[in-house]
Amino acid sequence: MKVETEASGRARVADIARAAQVSTATVDRVLNRRPGVRDATAQRVLKAAKALDYLPESSLHAALTRPPLRLCFLLPSGTNRFIRMLGDMVGYSQEHWAPFNVSCRAETIESFNPQALAAALLRLGKRSDGIAMMALEHPAVREAVATLAAQGVPVVTLISDLSNSARAAYIGLDNRAAGRTAGYLIGRFIGPRASAKVALIAGSLSYKAHEEREAGFLHVIDEMFKRLEVVGLREGQDDAEKNYRQTRALLDQHPELGGIYNIGGASDGVARALKEAGRAHKVVFVGHGLTPDTRALLIDGSMDAVITQSPQTTLMSCVRIFTNLRDGREALIGVESTRSQVIFRENLP
């Protein structure tokens, strides 16, 4: 619909601008549905146009009907089942987003590749109104987020944050507290054994979340369980086969191993190694993310505890943040802090 800036009907663009207290250029932009006008301002212009009978009812209805907010969830590919579950939920939960007037889709990229993540952010930013991503700590990613922010495309980090960045908000656990929780559980479950050793397996310390979980774990072991010896951290890149190999190597190198904390995903690889070595009910095993596979491992006793968060709540919180920003509100208005849950076999939901 092309709107002339001369008289049209009983009112002119200048009359609408005066009533809405904006410039005629802003009125022209709103009536032609071009970007670059805040939602609250656009609504004020449209209400003025309606009051002045500038537009026919059908045209006004079309102008007042906002197109859905285009949101993209950018997630790493691989065998991390919690992440895959998040991506699947984006696809089959569209009816939940309807009241928010958003359209959500999930995209996957190569895991642990900051250049690929940065490139995908810039590419998807051209056809998205907001992007939620699991961040990697890297200058290229930080620069891509800054570029999108300058273009008016907000980025929300989920599960793992990005330090010193222009991201709009972070949705996820307090990962330092999660690591402390894991350390406390392993220390208490092992009990007063004098010579027990404990090990950690991370996806990658390029995830801030994994780095913070490691730090929290080490702090609580040092504070409360000095009898335990931490024999180092290995990276399995959230891959079941790599986690399996890392666990077998740890068991071979440390026959007296008493506990394993899997900081990332693919706990099934760790459990398979423990079972093959006959250590499944002798080594305390704590991990992250309640999924069908970790649920099964809790039931058969291969895992002792799973620290998790609600994937549905995570996605809904992201949607609320983007709609808050669209409507000119503070990003976290009405968004609850992410709560961690510790799941055992006896309290499985």
Side-chain angles (χ1 to χ4, degrees), residues 155-226:
V155 175
V156 171
T157 54
L158 67 157
I159 301 177
S160 190
D161 201 4
L162 182 63
S163 60
N164 302 316
S165 70
R167 55 87 167 148
Y170 163 67
I171 290 296
L173 299 178
D174 177 338
N175 286 297
R176 193 172 292 270
R180 289 183 63 89
T181 300
Y184 180 80
L185 289 170
I186 286 178
R188 295 289 291 176
F189 284 174
I190 288 177
R193 281 186 258 168
S195 59
K197 296 181 179 181
V198 295
L200 303 91
I201 297 177
S204 171
L205 294 187
S206 59
Y207 281 137
K208 185 178 181 182
H210 291 195
E211 182 182 13
E212 290 177 341
R213 291 173 189 176
E214 178 200 18
F217 182 91
L218 295 177
H219 286 165
V220 83
I221 294 295
D222 184 62
E223 291 168 14
M224 300 182 63
F225 306 103
K226 293 184 182 294

Side-chain angles (χ1 to χ4, degrees), residues 89-107:
M89 285 183 178
V90 172
Y92 65 66
S93 299
Q94 293 298 327
E95 68 276 8
H96 295 297
W97 320 135
F100 298 92
N101 192 27
V102 300
S103 172
C104 300
R105 73 184 188 280
E107 299 265 356

Side-chain angles (χ1 to χ4, degrees), residues 62-80:
L64 286 168
T65 303
R66 294 182 298 185
L69 204 62
R70 302 166 301 168
L71 304 181
C72 178
F73 289 80
L74 185 55
L75 304 171
S77 60
T79 62
N80 186 320

Side-chain angles (χ1 to χ4, degrees), residues 284-300:
V284 177
F285 178 23
V286 174
H288 279 266
L290 185 62
T291 61
D293 64 308
T294 55
R295 186 183 186 91
L297 296 175
L298 285 171
I299 290 172
D300 72 17

Side-chain angles (χ1 to χ4, degrees), residues 18-340:
R18 189 178 305 110
Q21 297 182 322
V22 298
S23 68
T24 55
T26 297
V27 173
D28 185 68
R29 191 175 293 117
V30 171
L31 296 181
N32 285 291
R33 302 187 73 178
R34 291 196 292 269
V37 182
R38 292 183 59 184
D39 187 68
T41 303
Q43 294 299 309
R44 197 163 72 244
V45 169
L46 292 170
K47 287 177 182 178
K50 179 180 181 182
L52 293 168
D53 292 326
Y54 186 86
L55 295 174
E57 194 66 30
S58 59
S59 297
L60 182 64
H61 177 74
L64 286 168
T65 303
R66 294 182 298 185
L69 204 62
R70 302 166 301 168
L71 304 181
C72 178
F73 289 80
L74 185 55
L75 304 171
S77 60
T79 62
N80 186 320
R81 286 171 175 78
F82 187 82
I83 300 299
R84 286 165 56 184
M85 198 162 63
L86 273 179
D88 291 343
M89 285 183 178
V90 172
Y92 65 66
S93 299
Q94 293 298 327
E95 68 276 8
H96 295 297
W97 320 135
F100 298 92
N101 192 27
V102 300
S103 172
C104 300
R105 73 184 188 280
E107 299 265 356
T108 59
I109 57 163
E110 180 186 350
S111 302
F112 311 105
N113 186 332
Q115 283 77 22
L117 176 56
L121 284 168
L122 296 175
R123 172 173 50 84
L124 294 169
K126 296 177 182 177
R127 51 189 174 92
S128 303
D129 300 308
I131 300 176
M133 66 152 180
M134 188 170 172
L136 289 165
E137 281 286 349
H138 194 276
V141 178
R142 200 170 289 110
E143 186 66 18
V145 171
T147 299
L148 291 180
Q151 295 171 352
V153 180
V155 175
V156 171
T157 54
L158 67 157
I159 301 177
S160 190
D161 201 4
L162 182 63
S163 60
N164 302 316
S165 70
R167 55 87 167 148
Y170 163 67
I171 290 296
L173 299 178
D174 177 338
N175 286 297
R176 193 172 292 270
R180 289 183 63 89
T181 300
Y184 180 80
L185 289 170
I186 286 178
R188 295 289 291 176
F189 284 174
I190 288 177
R193 281 186 258 168
S195 59
K197 296 181 179 181
V198 295
L200 303 91
I201 297 177
S204 171
L205 294 187
S206 59
Y207 281 137
K208 185 178 181 182
H210 291 195
E211 182 182 13
E212 290 177 341
R213 291 173 189 176
E214 178 200 18
F217 182 91
L218 295 177
H219 286 165
V220 83
I221 294 295
D222 184 62
E223 291 168 14
M224 300 182 63
F225 306 103
K226 293 184 182 294
R227 67 184 182 279
L228 299 180
E229 179 186 353
V230 180
V231 294
L233 178 141
R234 296 173 180 236
E235 294 187 357
Q237 296 188 320
D238 287 353
D239 180 85
E241 187 60 33
K242 290 179 181 178
N243 279 359
Y244 166 79
R245 294 198 298 268
Q246 294 286 23
T247 304
R248 286 306 304 254
L250 282 167
L251 293 171
D252 291 342
Q253 188 176 355
H254 306 285
E256 68 277 33
L257 193 70
I260 293 179
Y261 174 33
N262 183 29
I263 292 175
S267 286
D268 52 327
V270 178
R272 179 159 65 96
L274 291 173
K275 290 174 182 178
E276 286 186 4
R279 305 291 301 279
H281 299 99
K282 299 175 184 178
V283 175
V284 177
F285 178 23
V286 174
H288 279 266
L290 185 62
T291 61
D293 64 308
T294 55
R295 186 183 186 91
L297 296 175
L298 285 171
I299 290 172
D300 72 17
S302 302
M303 291 189 79
D304 294 280
V306 171
I307 301 168
T308 195
Q309 62 193 82
S310 165
Q312 297 93 336
T313 302
T314 297
L315 296 179
M316 184 58 73
S317 294
C318 288
V319 169
R320 286 186 182 276
I321 288 170
F322 287 122
T323 55
N324 280 342
L325 294 171
R326 176 192 63 192
D327 297 336
R329 296 188 293 265
E330 291 291 329
L332 296 175
I333 292 293
V335 179
E336 295 184 7
S337 299
T338 303
R339 299 178 182 178
S340 67

